[in-house]
Amino acid sequence: MRKSIGFILLALVLVILPLSVDCGAKQFTLVFESMHPATHSRVGTPAPVVAGWLDAVERESGGRIKFERHWGGEPVPAREALDALRLGTIDVLAASQLLYSGKIAIADIGIMPRNYKTFTDIFDLWWNSPLGKIIDGVYQKRSNVKFMYPQVFAPENIQVSKRTKKIRTFEDLKGLKIRAAGGMANLSAKALGASPVTTASSEYYTAMQRGTIDAGIMTTYSLESYKMWEVCDQVVNPPIFNSCHIAVFMNLDTWKKVGPELQKVMIDAIRKMETKIISFIHVDDARIEKIAKEKGVEFYTLPREEQDKMWKALEPVWDMYVDKCTKQGLGKEAEQVREIISERFNAQ
């Protein structure tokens, strides 16, 4: 009888002890902000992309990490968010690195011509070459933030207005008023011989409808999200920005505070999701392209010789990238990044 009671007590201790350890494990509630609205079709809550990573981290950490989620540039305006992140006002930020290019331009490669041929290349180079360490190292030193991972979202093509003569050669792009989002996108439009018109995504439809622009550098999903297929009837390939990504940042002090175990949980979570994210983007773009074609949008691919002319015209954009980084004291790092990206792009 005494032996039975002893075994029961031992069993209870073995069950209760791990529970007490778990209860004593430190928990963190991190303030997350995205510059995009929660309704964004590609990087909002409907997609298994940024929100999917947040969910995975909460799940895989066993609840030790929870995110207080804010969307649409709240609680801090998007252009001020990197400074807020540096100071610890927020803990995690999903935003376009181009917003902060005036101070740190090293990650502008995420939305540039001839960057990555595939989304797989983005992740492979980030984790398995010096690329990720170079870019992350710059942000850690310059802004007290960790560049957690590149969040892939789309290629960007040239979309042509119904008012505009259809594109058949590289020369047809010259002289057009092309919508661009600023920064390297504007420089790319200039390199094509076009006139860049900086236009917010929310104003894109109206600008094309009114003839303020003849074409735009934009994503396939914008055809559906902004109903661009109502005012655009041609998409020109190959994408001028082949495979694009934004950034997911974390305050460096927060990163250190959560410790190695939870750091691994966060990185492992995105690594496990890479294939799912890429598949989602391809399937969703194919779905949208099918609908767009049914609505009369032509998807036209420039002949090979015309593509070569386009890529040659865009080469100086990379020189401008290096020059911009050099003025920020990041010339060496920019040259290294350019070499890594160029070697992979040209090898395929």
Side-chain angles (χ1 to χ4, degrees), residues 46-106:
V49 183
V50 178
W53 177 70
L54 299 177
D55 292 341
V57 170
E58 290 184 343
R59 183 176 60 252
E60 297 299 325
S61 70
R64 291 176 62 191
I65 292 180
K66 293 187 180 297
F67 294 100
E68 179 186 311
R69 308 183 189 198
H70 300 270
W71 301 87
E74 294 181 351
V76 182
R79 291 190 178 278
E80 301 169 17
L82 191 67
D83 282 336
L85 185 69
R86 174 178 60 84
L87 296 171
T89 306
I90 56 177
D91 297 297
V92 184
L93 172 66
S96 170
Q97 59 275 22
L98 299 188
L99 290 175
Y100 319 112
S101 178
K103 294 181 179 179
I104 305 175
I106 195 70

Side-chain angles (χ1 to χ4, degrees), residues 285-343:
D285 275 354
R287 176 187 64 81
I288 294 168
E289 182 174 332
K290 182 176 183 294
I291 298 172
K293 287 178 177 178
E294 292 170 354
K295 292 180 177 291
V297 179
E298 175 195 28
F299 284 74
Y300 177 75
T301 300
L302 289 171
R304 183 67 192 191
E305 60 272 19
E306 299 300 320
Q307 292 183 38
D308 291 342
K309 292 177 185 177
M310 182 179 77
W311 294 133
K312 185 175 181 180
L314 289 167
E315 283 179 7
V317 176
W318 277 91
D319 296 329
M320 297 172 195
Y321 161 78
V322 173
D323 288 344
K324 185 175 183 179
C325 290
T326 299
K327 290 175 182 176
Q328 297 174 347
L330 300 170
K332 178 182 177 182
E333 291 86 347
E335 289 285 6
Q336 291 174 320
V337 167
R338 180 179 189 173
E339 183 178 354
I340 293 167
I341 297 292
S342 179
E343 182 178 347

Side-chain angles (χ1 to χ4, degrees), residues 7-290:
F7 281 124
I8 292 171
L9 290 174
L10 179 60
L12 286 172
V13 169
L14 292 174
V15 170
I16 293 171
L17 184 59
L19 291 176
S20 65
V21 172
D22 286 345
C23 290
K26 197 163 185 180
Q27 298 179 342
F28 301 89
T29 298
L30 307 183
V31 179
F32 165 82
E33 174 176 332
S34 172
M35 65 172 281
H36 297 96
T39 54
H40 195 286
S41 64
R42 191 54 57 91
V43 290
T45 55
V49 183
V50 178
W53 177 70
L54 299 177
D55 292 341
V57 170
E58 290 184 343
R59 183 176 60 252
E60 297 299 325
S61 70
R64 291 176 62 191
I65 292 180
K66 293 187 180 297
F67 294 100
E68 179 186 311
R69 308 183 189 198
H70 300 270
W71 301 87
E74 294 181 351
V76 182
R79 291 190 178 278
E80 301 169 17
L82 191 67
D83 282 336
L85 185 69
R86 174 178 60 84
L87 296 171
T89 306
I90 56 177
D91 297 297
V92 184
L93 172 66
S96 170
Q97 59 275 22
L98 299 188
L99 290 175
Y100 319 112
S101 178
K103 294 181 179 179
I104 305 175
I106 195 70
D108 283 9
I109 57 168
I111 307 178
M112 277 182 62
R114 290 179 64 89
N115 53 2
Y116 313 89
K117 283 192 174 177
T118 69
F119 295 122
T120 301
D121 283 341
I122 295 178
F123 287 124
D124 183 40
L125 289 176
W126 185 264
W127 304 116
N128 300 318
S129 83
L131 183 68
K133 290 181 179 179
I134 293 169
I135 294 175
D136 179 33
V138 167
Y139 279 92
Q140 289 196 29
K141 290 178 183 177
R142 291 293 181 90
S143 203
N144 191 45
V145 302
K146 179 171 180 59
F147 196 124
M148 294 290 288
Y149 69 92
Q151 181 55 71
V152 301
F153 66 92
E156 294 197 6
N157 317 68
I158 295 176
Q159 299 174 354
V160 183
S161 166
K162 289 182 177 181
R163 296 167 172 261
T164 304
K165 177 185 174 183
K166 296 297 132 322
I167 305 301
R168 291 291 178 258
T169 68
F170 167 69
E171 296 295 325
D172 292 337
L173 296 169
K174 293 185 177 180
L176 295 184
K177 294 174 291 183
I178 295 183
R179 178 267 174 188
M184 291 298 165
N186 282 30
L187 295 176
S188 298
K190 283 184 179 180
L192 295 174
S195 298
V197 180
T198 304
T199 307
S201 299
S202 58
E203 301 168 349
Y204 183 37
Y205 181 101
T206 304
M208 190 171 285
Q209 183 184 45
R210 293 177 177 175
T212 306
I213 57 174
D214 303 308
I217 300 173
M218 203 38 157
T219 60
T220 298
Y221 66 77
S222 70
L223 292 169
E224 180 177 58
S225 297
Y226 302 118
K227 307 299 181 188
M228 293 307 298
W229 46 40
E230 296 178 356
V231 292
C232 154
D233 63 358
Q234 187 187 39
V235 173
V236 180
N237 283 310
I240 186 170
F241 303 150
N242 304 78
S243 301
C244 299
H245 69 76
I246 58 171
V248 176
F249 300 109
M250 178 176 281
N251 172 273
L252 188 57
D253 297 324
T254 300
W255 170 255
K256 293 175 180 177
K257 183 171 62 177
V258 300
E261 181 184 350
L262 292 178
Q263 289 173 2
K264 185 176 186 302
V265 167
M266 288 188 282
I267 297 302
D268 285 351
I270 187 58
R271 297 305 311 272
K272 292 175 184 177
M273 291 177 62
E274 289 171 9
T275 301
K276 181 179 181 180
I277 290 171
I278 293 170
S279 177
F280 165 75
I281 292 171
H282 288 321
V283 170
D284 199 44
D285 275 354
R287 176 187 64 81
I288 294 168
E289 182 174 332
K290 182 176 183 294

